[in-house]
Amino acid sequence: MKVLKFGGSSVASSENINKVISIVKESSFKNNVAVVVSALGGVTDLLLESGKLACEGNEDYKNSFKTIESRHIEVVRELIPVNNQSSVLGQIKLMLNKLENTLEGVFLINELSSKTSDKIVSFGELFSSYIIAEAMKSNGLDAVLKNSQELIVTDGNFSNAAVIFNKTNNNITSYFKHNKSKIVMLPGFVSKTENGEVSTLGRGGSDYTAAIIASAVDASILEIWTDVSGMYTANPKFVRQAFPIKSISYQEAMELSHFGAKVLYPPTIQPVLKKEIPICIKNTFDAKAEGTLITKVSSNTNPIKGISHIENMALVTLEGSGMVGIPGISKRLFGCLASNKINVSLITQASSEHSICFAISNNDGEKAEYAVNQEFSYEIEQNKIDPLIVEKDNAIIALVGDNMKSHQGISGKMFSTLGKNNVNIRAIAQGASEKNISAVISHKDIKKALNTLHSEFFENQTKQLNLFVVGVGNVGGKLLQQIKQQQQYLLDNLKLQVRVIALTNSKKMLFNEDGIDLESWSTQLPKGQDLDMNLFHKKVTDLNYRNSIFVDNTANESVSKLYASYLKESVAVVTCNKIACSSNYTNYLNLKQLAREYNAPFLFETNVGAGLPIIDTLKNLIASGDKVTKIQAVLSGSLNFVFNNFNSETSFADVVDEAGVQGYTEPDPRIDLSGVDVMRKILILARESGTRLELDDIKNNSFLPQASLDADSVPDFLETLKTEAEHFNKIQQSAESNNCRLKFVAEFDNGAANVGLQEIPSDHPFYNLDGSDNIVLFFTERYPVQPLIIKGAGAGADVTASGLFADIIRIGNN
């Protein structure tokens, strides 16, 4: 014999019920079947709501009742043929009248006991089982309805009654021994006490009903039909990569169901465990899917079977010196909680006995605080024990697996993985059986923690990078193009999945939690929200994605001021914006410190030399113990382009204009021509070398005439380049007459730095620097005479974007 149980989602509508009937029909070809059903989806909540409203004297309970009434009448009319509808509707209306009378009584006396509540909510399963049984008969199936209340006997603990198994099993075996029908339909969840009063088995009790029946009749299998294809490696609502577990043991299933795997009610397993009756979790809406098979021993080789969690938990701590060495403290504490019906989900105690920490539901926080403080009022008054500390908005996350005990390092991997993603662990518990490793974390970190652990233990070590990109102009646009081009390569070769979650330009911002389509981002972005960088930051932190990276492609000071707030949320920062690292030294140090403290990389390779590995090389020199003594560099691709193309046949103004057209200068060319941009770059290199230096400490030997320096606007500045042409021509002619080339050079030597235009002779490494190339000479203790030279393209959107992309990949590989 097989026992099939169908949950509320499986019987939520007439369409779904027809699917159920098809599944039962197929199962009954070869087997006798017992079918246990829940109330129609959402009805139990409506029944509870109507009872609560009636108790409060709120006449809105009648609206809830009307909804319940119309739901069931509608289903009857859709499922039952017209010639049989009247008798079925008549029976349903008789039952509805009883429910209405009960609710009216609660409304009149404004009292709702657990006993009356059980009576009210039991109607859900009584309605559904009767309607479905009649629908099966109408479909020609050999079905009979048996009220579970006549079979399952419980104690008087209403709302969560305990089964009296000797009487229950006798009732079930006796009934099925004499039953002649192929299909027996039973309401789940409902039962009666020894005195014949209505009781229930607790929310989720329909699973339990099915397990009780299966155990009593020695069923060949218990099938739990729901709206998912089995128990998943993690909650698929949080972890998109989660997948059904093919095989799992009873113990593993109990652990997962206790820790939030809602497809199975935790007590379900107990009745079938001793008889080793297999349980199969199946999907009503995908009947051919394999599902999850629960047996004594699972065949899955992965020591971790699943990652589960419980939301909305409070972390509670009792501590004080008066607890040390005093017998009975734990007994009093947990006895007090038990007497107040407060369930404890996790317990941990320090070996010093100075504190006991445990986790309970958020809803029980105030009740626990009052009860425990009352219990230990004397010790609290004597300052031997502190008042109870209740910290809400936490969650429990758990790794579950039978074979974890035989695999070393699992807990270490779990905690290091969470730590790398800045998920703070508040408490830890692990039983001696090592079937479960549990940790208390902040509620806001649930999604990040689940995804991080799932990636570590169940996926092919594919690392997901979530990018939040600010600025999609020349550089930003090229970056998106490069990411789109390389996405598949990175996934196949580096196991990196790069997703762009958000984009902004100067007016709009666009978010897509599943990743923006890089084929059509330019048409999507104008339809986004108005840009608000504070709201942008809030959305990034609310999403709380693992491996989040804030990418700044702007030259905007206000954007650079946001870096600290992102780093504090463990969001990495990748930027070509030089303003932050060339701001005051205290801010620069603070950003570096925050990056270390919150394990959030702060990478700015493109601040100097665009895509050239200048800063990375410098960091490696310092990390290896070398010491920089001197730096000489041409660091402005813009100025190098200008002076490489400025000659006796071209005007300085025309060359600067062409540099702007080519994208080598900023929209405001004064930033480049004034030398400020180069000052920032040499400042950053000096700081990365270990020298404390401010921008004002750098000497700027400007080649611009005073009129250009005094210009109030960009047009005025560009006009001075024409009116002061003679000034620039003299500079060019002097270099030409000395067989030299003009280069804007930055120098750092013995703690001092300067920038300025220099005439470079033909035997100097800078002489043959063409186009917009950059060059850096590092003189160090290891390279005292022949410097370490880095040379290459140092300006342009493509190479700057590639430098940003390289920083993003560097984060992914670490």
Side-chain angles (χ1 to χ4, degrees):
M1 184 176 188
K2 294 172 69 174
V3 177
L4 283 65
K5 178 266 173 179
F6 294 90
S9 58
S10 298
V11 295
S13 65
S14 55
E15 181 185 355
N16 293 359
I17 292 170
N18 279 323
K19 288 183 171 65
V20 169
I21 292 171
S22 296
I23 292 166
V24 172
K25 183 177 180 179
E26 186 173 338
S27 290
S28 66
F29 283 147
K30 296 181 181 179
N31 305 276
N32 285 350
V33 293
V35 180
V36 177
V37 292
S38 297
L40 304 189
V43 165
T44 300
D45 287 335
L46 282 169
L47 288 164
L48 288 168
E49 179 187 85
S50 60
K52 180 174 178 289
L53 290 171
C55 180
E56 293 170 352
N58 188 334
E59 291 199 358
D60 284 346
Y61 85 88
K62 294 177 182 178
N63 295 331
S64 297
F65 172 78
K66 289 290 184 186
T67 303
I68 295 165
E69 181 180 45
S70 61
R71 279 280 305 275
H72 290 90
I73 290 174
E74 180 185 359
V75 169
V76 169
R77 287 179 173 154
E78 291 173 346
L79 282 176
I80 307 299
V82 176
N83 60 352
N84 194 33
Q85 266 187 23
S86 59
S87 63
V88 177
L89 284 172
Q91 182 61 31
I92 286 293
K93 286 180 179 178
L94 281 174
M95 297 165 71
L96 284 166
N97 286 340
K98 291 181 181 178
L99 171 60
E100 187 175 25
N101 291 337
T102 305
L103 289 170
E104 186 177 359
V106 172
F107 177 77
L108 291 172
I109 64 172
N110 297 134
E111 185 179 326
L112 181 64
S113 66
S114 296
K115 183 194 294 187
T116 306
S117 180
D118 271 6
K119 187 174 181 180
I120 291 170
V121 295
S122 68
F123 277 97
E125 275 72 11
L126 296 177
F127 289 146
S128 64
S129 58
Y130 173 69
I131 293 170
I132 296 169
E134 291 301 316
M136 286 184 177
K137 292 175 187 177
S138 298
N139 278 270
L141 299 185
D142 179 18
V144 64
L145 175 65
K146 180 62 177 176
N147 190 341
S148 303
Q149 293 172 323
E150 298 170 10
L151 301 176
I152 299 176
V153 183
T154 70
D155 64 11
N157 185 22
F158 297 101
S159 297
N160 195 16
V163 177
I164 301 172
F165 276 99
N166 57 346
K167 293 184 178 180
T168 296
N169 290 338
N170 286 337
N171 290 342
I172 294 169
T173 53
S174 175
Y175 172 76
F176 279 94
K177 183 178 179 181
H178 297 96
N179 169 61
K180 302 299 183 185
S181 298
K182 194 78 173 171
I183 301 164
V184 177
M185 174 64 61
L186 303 113
F189 177 58
V190 298
S191 51
K192 281 189 177 179
T193 67
E194 290 180 287
N195 297 327
E197 295 172 308
V198 174
S199 59
T200 62
L201 304 177
R203 289 301 293 266
S206 292
D207 285 358
Y208 194 29
T209 301
I212 292 166
I213 302 289
S215 176
V217 300
D218 291 320
S220 59
I221 192 167
L222 166 60
E223 294 179 356
I224 306 289
W225 291 82
T226 181
D227 56 1
V228 291
S229 299
M231 299 187 84
Y232 277 64
T233 47
N235 188 331
K237 291 180 181 177
F238 290 91
V239 182
R240 292 183 180 274
Q241 291 77 24
F243 54 87
I245 307 165
K246 289 185 178 180
S247 174
I248 195 170
S249 73
Y250 292 121
Q251 287 78 12
E252 290 167 333
M254 279 194 284
E255 292 283 358
L256 283 174
S257 60
H258 174 71
F259 277 86
K262 295 178 181 178
V263 295
L264 190 66
Y265 182 52
T268 302
I269 296 166
Q270 204 59 48
V272 298
L273 179 60
K274 289 183 181 178
K275 294 190 175 181
E276 297 184 11
I277 297 168
I279 303 172
C280 191
I281 312 294
K282 300 278 283 180
N283 189 344
T284 304
F285 309 102
D286 186 8
K288 295 188 183 301
E290 193 173 355
T292 298
L293 184 65
I294 305 171
T295 56
K296 184 178 181 180
V297 180
S298 71
S299 58
N300 196 330
T301 56
N302 191 338
I304 310 297
K305 293 302 187 301
I307 306 162
S308 201
H309 72 284
I310 310 176
E311 299 182 46
N312 301 309
M313 302 300 292
L315 187 63
V316 185
T317 306
L318 183 69
E319 62 182 6
S321 57
M323 294 169 58
V324 179
I326 305 299
I329 293 288
S330 297
K331 179 182 178 181
R332 288 174 60 193
L333 171 61
F334 294 111
C336 167
L337 296 172
S339 64
N340 283 275
K341 296 185 178 180
I342 297 171
N343 185 50
V344 177
S345 298
L346 176 147
I347 304 169
T348 180
Q349 181 173 15
S351 58
S352 66
E353 300 182 34
H354 183 264
S355 67
I356 301 174
C357 189
F358 55 94
I360 60 175
S361 168
N362 270 347
N363 297 332
D364 289 330
E366 283 81 8
K367 184 162 63 169
E369 186 173 16
Y370 178 79
V372 174
N373 285 343
Q374 286 293 108
E375 174 67 29
F376 292 95
S377 58
Y378 175 76
E379 288 85 352
I380 292 171
E381 190 178 320
Q382 297 295 314
N383 293 318
K384 293 180 178 180
I385 293 179
D386 298 332
L388 199 70
I389 301 169
V390 180
E391 300 170 272
K392 291 188 174 182
D393 297 323
N394 290 293
I396 300 176
I397 192 162
L399 285 188
V400 173
D402 275 346
N403 297 321
M404 290 197 299
K405 60 185 175 184
S406 58
H407 287 74
Q408 294 180 345
I410 287 177
S411 58
K413 185 188 284 190
M414 174 184 179
F415 300 132
S416 65
T417 300
L418 292 174
K420 285 176 185 175
N421 282 272
N422 209 47
V423 177
N424 189 36
I425 296 169
R426 304 295 314 283
I428 299 168
Q430 180 175 12
S433 67
E434 297 186 46
K435 286 182 171 63
N436 179 316
I437 306 172
S438 303
V440 177
I441 62 173
S442 172
H443 195 272
K444 70 180 179 65
D445 287 330
I446 289 174
K447 190 171 184 179
K448 182 193 285 188
L450 287 172
N451 279 277
T452 298
L453 292 174
H454 196 274
S455 174
E456 184 68 32
F457 289 105
F458 290 104
E459 298 167 33
N460 294 323
Q461 298 307 304
T462 299
K463 192 172 186 178
Q464 190 178 85
L465 303 180
N466 297 293
L467 309 188
F468 301 86
V469 181
V470 175
V472 288
N474 283 340
V475 174
K478 292 292 184 183
L479 174 62
L480 296 178
Q481 183 181 324
Q482 291 174 15
I483 292 170
K484 176 180 172 293
Q485 176 186 316
Q486 292 299 106
Q487 270 180 324
Q488 194 60 47
Y489 174 87
L490 294 175
L491 188 60
D492 294 341
N493 294 276
L494 299 182
K495 302 299 181 187
L496 294 178
Q497 183 186 32
V498 180
R499 304 190 309 168
V500 177
I501 305 299
L503 293 173
T504 80
N505 58 21
S506 60
K507 296 179 180 178
K508 296 286 185 178
M509 61 183 185
L510 176 69
F511 275 80
N512 187 325
E513 294 183 21
D514 298 323
I516 293 168
D517 181 2
L518 297 184
E519 193 75 54
S520 59
W521 69 266
S522 58
T523 57
Q524 295 177 56
L525 182 55
K527 301 173 187 175
Q529 295 174 264
D530 291 341
L531 178 62
D532 181 335
M533 288 308 297
N534 290 325
L535 179 59
F536 187 89
H537 176 266
K538 184 178 186 303
K539 286 197 170 192
V540 174
T541 53
D542 285 349
L543 285 173
N544 198 23
Y545 281 151
R546 60 196 168 123
N547 306 318
S548 291
I549 305 174
F550 177 76
V551 184
D552 178 15
N553 301 313
T554 75
N556 189 300
E557 184 175 3
S558 62
V559 175
S560 73
K561 288 180 178 179
L562 297 172
Y563 295 171
S565 62
Y566 281 102
L567 294 171
K568 287 176 183 177
E569 296 290 342
S570 296
V571 176
V573 174
V574 169
T575 181
C576 59
N577 186 342
K578 293 176 280 292
I579 293 175
C581 288
S582 59
S583 62
N584 67 73
Y585 188 74
T586 304
N587 184 55
Y588 162 80
L589 276 189
N590 181 51
L591 293 175
K592 303 273 280 188
Q593 175 58 33
L594 289 174
R596 289 189 292 270
E597 183 179 348
Y598 291 95
N599 195 32
F602 173 42
L603 300 183
F604 43 90
E605 183 65 68
T606 49
N607 277 195
V608 182
L612 295 176
I614 295 171
I615 292 176
D616 192 52
T617 301
L618 178 55
K619 285 180 178 178
N620 289 335
L621 287 171
I622 302 299
S624 68
D626 202 356
K627 183 177 180 181
V628 174
T629 56
K630 182 179 179 180
I631 300 172
Q632 287 184 314
V634 175
L635 295 173
S636 173
S638 312
L639 288 172
N640 203 39
F641 176 89
V642 167
F643 286 108
N644 279 338
N645 289 278
F646 178 38
N647 53 50
S648 58
E649 297 176 4
T650 58
S651 73
F652 189 75
D654 287 343
V655 175
V656 171
D657 185 56
E658 180 61 21
V661 171
Q662 296 287 337
Y664 290 125
T665 64
E666 298 290 342
D668 182 350
R670 291 176 295 181
I671 297 172
D672 299 290
L673 272 64
S674 67
V676 171
D677 186 60
V678 177
M679 290 170 67
R680 286 173 175 161
K681 291 175 179 179
I682 194 65
L683 174 66
I684 292 168
L685 292 182
R687 287 176 171 179
E688 290 294 297
S689 301
T691 301
R692 183 180 186 121
L693 204 66
E694 299 289 358
L695 193 63
D696 292 342
D697 298 330
I698 300 172
K699 185 178 180 183
N700 184 359
N701 302 306
S702 178
F703 65 88
L704 292 174
Q706 194 62 43
S708 298
L709 294 172
D710 293 340
D712 293 328
S713 65
V714 172
D716 289 346
F717 174 76
L718 292 175
E719 185 61 29
T720 67
L721 301 187
K722 297 174 183 177
T723 58
E724 298 289 332
E726 186 61 29
H727 169 84
F728 298 111
N729 290 337
K730 285 182 180 179
I731 294 173
Q732 190 275 329
Q733 289 163 8
S734 173
E736 189 174 340
S737 65
N738 292 323
N739 293 318
C740 293
R741 297 181 72 180
L742 291 169
K743 303 293 177 187
F744 197 86
V745 178
E747 293 183 317
F748 170 69
D749 190 3
N750 291 320
N754 67 84
V755 299
L757 194 63
Q758 294 184 17
E759 295 182 358
I760 302 297
S762 59
D763 60 348
H764 195 283
F766 293 172
Y767 184 83
N768 291 314
L769 197 65
D770 294 323
S772 60
D773 285 1
N774 281 191
I775 188 170
V776 178
L777 311 183
F778 285 122
F779 294 87
T780 73
E781 290 180 348
R782 293 178 190 157
Y783 299 91
V785 179
Q786 294 296 325
L788 176 62
I789 301 176
I790 300 171
K791 177 183 176 184
D798 267 323
V799 290
T800 304
S802 70
L804 289 163
F805 199 5
D807 274 348
I808 291 166
I809 294 169
R810 189 175 288 116
I811 290 172
N813 286 333
N814 289 336

